[in-house]
Amino acid sequence: MNTNTLIKELQFKAIRSSGAGGQHVNKTSSKIELTFDLENSLALSTNEKELLKEKLASKLTKKNQLILFCEETRSQHKNKELAIKRFLRLLKTNLIKPKKRRPTKPSRASILKNTNKNKRNSLKKILRKKPDF
């Protein structure tokens, strides 16, 4: 994954932000919409694309596009930087393949320890019962 080519593939759109800010909000387009076309990306390999499609299925559109919004600050440039950072973090975390679980057998000592513990517990509970006459 090459970050420079990934950033070149991103498309940005400035939109009017909602929320507090008075007249400034009504006049300027500070909200950023970041769009990334996963299907046609040249920076990612086919394996990486498949992995991202699987993990980001809920965040992708029907055309396999990832859309992120950022409207945290009143500055368009800061919002753009934040959106890029979020995008790169999202890809980085979702490209990590989980380790395969190797099933293990309990050791002989732990098996003996458990059987002894179970015998002690059963004996303790037997001794609590009322005696039969």
Side-chain angles (χ1 to χ4, degrees):
M1 178 178 85
N2 190 355
T3 55
N4 290 332
T5 51
L6 269 175
I7 293 172
K8 288 177 185 174
E9 291 179 355
L10 298 176
Q11 294 173 344
F12 298 97
K13 190 192 287 185
I15 310 167
R16 286 210 179 120
S17 185
S18 62
Q23 286 182 330
H24 182 76
V25 170
N26 302 331
K27 290 191 287 183
T28 59
S29 300
S30 59
K31 182 179 181 178
I32 292 291
E33 179 185 287
L34 178 144
T35 310
F36 176 67
D37 191 3
L38 183 65
E39 197 72 38
N40 300 321
S41 175
L42 300 172
L44 299 170
S45 68
T46 52
N47 293 338
E48 290 173 332
K49 286 179 188 178
E50 291 301 317
L51 188 65
L52 287 173
K53 279 182 198 174
E54 191 179 304
K55 286 191 172 183
L56 297 174
S58 62
K59 295 184 184 210
L60 294 174
T61 63
K62 289 179 182 176
K63 296 178 183 177
N64 286 326
Q65 289 186 332
L66 178 68
I67 300 172
L68 296 174
F69 294 99
C70 185
E71 58 177 335
E72 288 179 20
T73 65
R74 290 173 65 175
S75 167
Q76 191 182 103
H77 299 292
K78 285 182 184 174
N79 281 338
K80 193 174 180 179
E81 285 177 28
L82 287 170
I84 291 171
K85 284 179 184 175
R86 263 192 221 150
F87 168 74
L88 292 174
R89 192 178 328 116
L90 187 72
L91 286 190
K92 202 176 202 178
T93 54
N94 285 303
L95 282 175
I96 297 170
K97 288 185 180 178
K99 288 183 180 177
K100 255 190 174 178
R101 184 190 174 278
R102 282 195 222 121
T104 56
K105 263 191 343 188
S107 65
R108 189 172 178 181
S110 67
I111 293 171
L112 287 171
K113 189 176 167 185
N114 282 336
T115 52
N116 288 337
K117 183 181 75 174
N118 289 338
K119 283 178 185 175
R120 262 187 273 120
N121 277 340
S122 67
L123 182 66
K124 185 194 308 179
K125 292 183 181 207
I126 288 170
L127 292 173
R128 285 182 191 160
K129 288 182 182 177
K130 291 181 180 177
D132 291 332
F133 293 111

